[in-house]
Amino acid sequence: MTEASSADGYSMRRETERVVNEVAQGLRTLDAGVDWFSGLSPACRQEVLGEVTRYAMQAHITAADGRAGVARSGVKPTANPAVMICMDPPRYGFSGLPAAEHVTAFGVLVSVFTVADTRRRETSCEGGCGHHWHNLATTTEQP
């Protein structure tokens, strides 16, 4: 891998982190996040799905988070990504889904992450924390 592609990968991970956490904290709408994701190349979409899957795993999502997130996303509960995330334990092979399902998978993953991360911010990080991604309201410039 060249330095340029490594730097591009880092930039994409940082942008993904920012977008997903802005949605989770209500600083960006889910539709705006999905629009951002839809504008990416197919290869970048796969990378982003892998990254958001890691966020969901780190947030320790539960089957209940999955159900609440699917309802929040507006995706039919019978769609592949919705079924996968609601299993107990959740299935995480979203980047392996057909490309036609990637946008739906992103919406579901971000919605479920939002539910789980909100729960964690209200419990584990109650009263403040050092997670820079939990402090976007003070670091994100508003248009």
Side-chain angles (χ1 to χ4, degrees):
M1 188 183 295
T2 66
E3 283 186 16
S5 63
S6 177
D8 290 346
Y10 176 78
S11 296
M12 179 54 70
R13 285 190 304 277
R14 295 293 299 179
E15 186 173 3
T16 300
E17 177 183 288
R18 182 180 51 79
V19 170
V20 169
N21 281 287
E22 284 176 358
V23 172
Q25 294 175 40
L27 301 172
R28 181 186 295 241
T29 65
L30 178 60
D31 287 342
V34 169
D35 287 346
W36 168 81
F37 180 79
S38 296
L40 300 175
S41 71
C44 284
R45 288 181 189 178
Q46 266 189 305
E47 288 179 35
V48 167
L49 285 174
E51 191 70 16
V52 180
T53 296
R54 285 187 285 283
Y55 300 164
M57 292 170 70
Q58 288 175 344
H60 303 285
I61 65 168
T62 64
D65 294 336
R67 290 186 298 277
V70 168
R72 184 182 188 284
S73 74
V75 171
K76 287 187 204 178
T78 56
N80 283 336
V83 170
M84 291 168 63
I85 205 72
C86 290
M87 293 177 136
D88 192 10
R91 303 299 185 268
Y92 292 111
F94 297 98
S95 60
L97 288 169
E101 295 188 63
H102 285 178
V103 172
T104 301
F106 179 80
V108 166
L109 273 171
V110 171
S111 294
V112 173
F113 172 76
T114 297
V115 170
D117 194 58
T118 298
R119 174 179 39 78
R120 293 199 39 127
R121 277 186 279 119
E122 292 171 350
T123 57
S124 302
C125 295
E126 184 179 21
C129 67
H131 300 125
H132 69 274
W133 58 88
H134 283 167
N135 298 298
L136 293 180
T138 58
T139 60
T140 302
E141 289 185 29
Q142 298 295 318

